[in-house]
Amino acid sequence: MTRKLIAVTACATGVAHTYMAEKALLQAAKKMNVLIKVETQGATGIGHYLTAKDVQIGETVILATDTKVRDLNRFNGKKILQVGVSDPIKNAEKVINDALTLVDTK
């Protein structure tokens, strides 16, 4: 069974790290055979908005952010892994594994 995650990336300025973290998560997830959809909350607005269906399907939420997440209430009731925006850039596989472990730990 393919694992499914959702994530939000956002940095204080919303210019570079937001998108670097997105790219790192997407690349690591592909390598790990994990499906992931990553919403970016950058200076140009929200990219790849996570819909209610996305949130329902995602096993857990990775918030890779250094700033406030817009519409955070969408994730009420979901397990959330909160990390800094630089964490996936440094080691995205660890972040994904931590998120999967969070789901598997009840």
Side-chain angles (χ1 to χ4, degrees):
M1 178 176 116
T2 303
R3 307 297 301 264
K4 300 172 186 77
L5 299 174
I6 55 175
V8 176
T9 62
C11 65
T13 58
V15 177
H17 287 92
T18 297
Y19 304 101
M20 292 167 63
E22 173 198 26
K23 184 177 179 182
L25 286 169
L26 291 172
Q27 288 177 339
K30 184 176 182 180
K31 182 178 174 183
M32 299 168 70
N33 197 30
V34 172
L35 292 178
I36 190 167
K37 182 173 179 181
V38 182
E39 176 181 299
T40 56
Q41 295 189 3
T44 59
I46 295 177
H48 314 288
Y49 185 81
L50 294 170
T51 65
K53 184 174 182 180
D54 296 327
V55 174
Q56 181 182 13
I57 292 171
E59 296 177 52
T60 193
V61 185
I62 299 170
L63 298 179
T65 62
D66 288 341
T67 188
K68 186 177 177 182
V69 175
R70 289 174 244 173
D71 299 329
L72 187 59
N73 60 350
R74 290 176 287 168
F75 309 122
N76 287 347
K78 301 295 285 190
K79 290 192 175 185
I80 296 174
L81 177 68
Q82 175 71 61
V83 297
V85 73
S86 62
D87 291 334
I89 297 169
K90 293 176 185 169
N91 191 345
E93 288 185 32
K94 180 183 182 316
V95 172
I96 290 171
N97 278 324
D98 289 349
L100 294 174
T101 299
L102 183 65
V103 172
D104 295 338
T105 306
K106 295 189 179 193

